[in-house]
Amino acid sequence: MKSKKPLVGFDRYVEKSWMDQAAKLVVDGNNLHEVNEKLDEYLLPSINGETSRRKTKNILTATWAKSLKEETAYKQEAVALFASANSQERLAIHYAMCIAAYPFFMSLSKILGRLFKLQDEVSNTEFNRRVIESVGDRESIKRATARYLQSLIEWGVLEPSGKAVVRPVAKISIVNSELITWLYASVLYSSDRDRISIEDIISDPCWFPFGILHGHFNISESKIIKVVHQSVGTTLVSVR
């Protein structure tokens, strides 16, 4: 059984450089206490309020420094991939880590991806309406949705297009088969389903920021996911 994850969780504006710093601290072998202390010092020039800094730090540590039991191997592989990744690959790793850690982040990415399949740009009003229909109409949801959009704009995934309108930037090309397999696994860690078809994972609208080469989902070489059922036209996979 999967451990319960926060309903929202990702509810702060988070810059990519902050995510990079959290990842680097983990890659360098710092434990959770050390990561917390060093992130607090690192964020101080950017976030003055102690409460705001603590909440932002909680997102960074939950994404990179903390692991539920079933996520341990997944995050260990993330650390290894991040150490040798280029800047664009690191962005993809952060994005997938947020998907795995926060089902809410995954839900918003699905909604936005579906909208971008229908149109070139999306207004904040339309996006908020779709989120409310899917997740619920609460102030905390509205605030978190705004922070999500602000973060993706800062990450370079989205760009403003007029007042309160966003559009995707050019897709980030991902060609490393090991990274692609790991990226796709994040959907399994976010989902409340124990098994998902390969087709559903590959075609998920959450991947709208990326151009991922087809045929590079090498499950046979993965240490974190496995095939649990195979029939004509359908292959189901799960976490190992």
Side-chain angles (χ1 to χ4, degrees):
M1 182 179 294
K2 293 183 179 180
S3 303
K4 189 175 181 180
K5 295 188 176 182
L7 177 63
V8 177
F10 195 97
D11 57 359
R12 312 295 297 181
Y13 166 71
V14 178
E15 294 187 5
K16 180 180 179 291
S17 61
W18 304 348
M19 295 286 283
D20 283 339
Q21 182 65 15
K24 289 173 183 175
L25 289 171
V26 174
V27 169
D28 289 343
N30 292 278
N31 61 35
L32 179 58
H33 177 72
E34 292 168 333
V35 171
N36 265 303
E37 285 194 333
K38 293 178 181 180
L39 278 178
D40 197 68
E41 182 179 353
Y42 177 82
L43 292 171
L44 188 57
S46 302
I47 308 174
N48 292 323
E50 185 176 344
T51 299
S52 294
R53 193 164 62 253
R54 173 180 55 80
K55 290 181 177 180
T56 302
K57 189 172 60 175
N58 285 344
I59 292 175
L60 299 174
T61 55
T63 304
W64 272 101
K66 298 177 184 177
S67 294
L68 300 174
K69 183 178 179 180
E70 63 268 23
E71 294 175 339
T72 302
Y74 171 81
K75 290 199 172 182
Q76 286 174 344
E77 190 165 336
V79 169
L81 288 166
F82 189 88
S84 59
N86 61 37
S87 179
Q88 289 192 322
E89 290 171 339
R90 288 182 172 187
L91 173 57
I93 292 170
H94 290 318
Y95 184 90
M97 290 285 271
C98 289
I99 283 177
Y102 297 110
F104 177 74
F105 186 100
M106 174 64 162
S107 296
L108 298 192
S109 297
K110 278 178 175 286
I111 293 167
L112 198 53
R114 290 192 190 105
L115 288 171
F116 283 140
K117 283 187 175 181
L118 299 173
Q119 56 208 59
D120 295 331
E121 54 186 33
V122 174
S123 70
N124 291 10
T125 300
E126 182 176 13
F127 183 51
N128 283 326
R129 179 171 59 81
R130 296 297 181 96
V131 172
I132 288 169
E133 291 171 355
S134 176
V135 183
D137 187 5
R138 296 189 300 279
E139 282 303 315
S140 60
I141 297 293
K142 294 176 182 177
R143 287 194 300 271
T145 299
R147 302 297 179 265
Y148 164 87
L149 288 176
Q150 291 167 357
S151 298
L152 291 197
I153 289 171
E154 198 282 332
W155 293 6
V157 170
L158 302 175
E159 63 181 7
S161 176
K163 186 176 180 180
V165 176
V166 295
R167 63 187 178 196
V169 300
K171 290 184 180 293
I172 297 169
S173 178
I174 304 294
V175 298
N176 181 311
S177 61
E178 182 181 7
L179 175 58
I180 289 170
T181 303
W182 177 87
L183 289 174
Y184 282 149
S186 64
V187 175
L188 285 162
Y189 289 92
S190 185
S191 176
D192 57 3
R193 296 156 58 191
D194 290 327
R195 52 180 65 185
I196 305 176
S197 74
I198 290 177
E199 180 56 38
D200 284 348
I201 293 175
I202 291 174
S203 63
D204 198 292
C206 74
W207 301 119
F208 74 88
F210 307 103
I212 302 176
L213 287 180
H214 292 294
H216 283 66
F217 193 3
N218 295 330
I219 302 167
S220 61
E221 298 179 7
S222 175
K223 298 177 182 177
I224 55 178
I225 55 177
K226 62 182 179 180
V227 174
V228 293
H229 176 76
Q230 200 159 18
S231 61
V232 178
T234 303
T235 300
L236 299 178
V237 294
S238 71
V239 174
R240 283 190 181 274

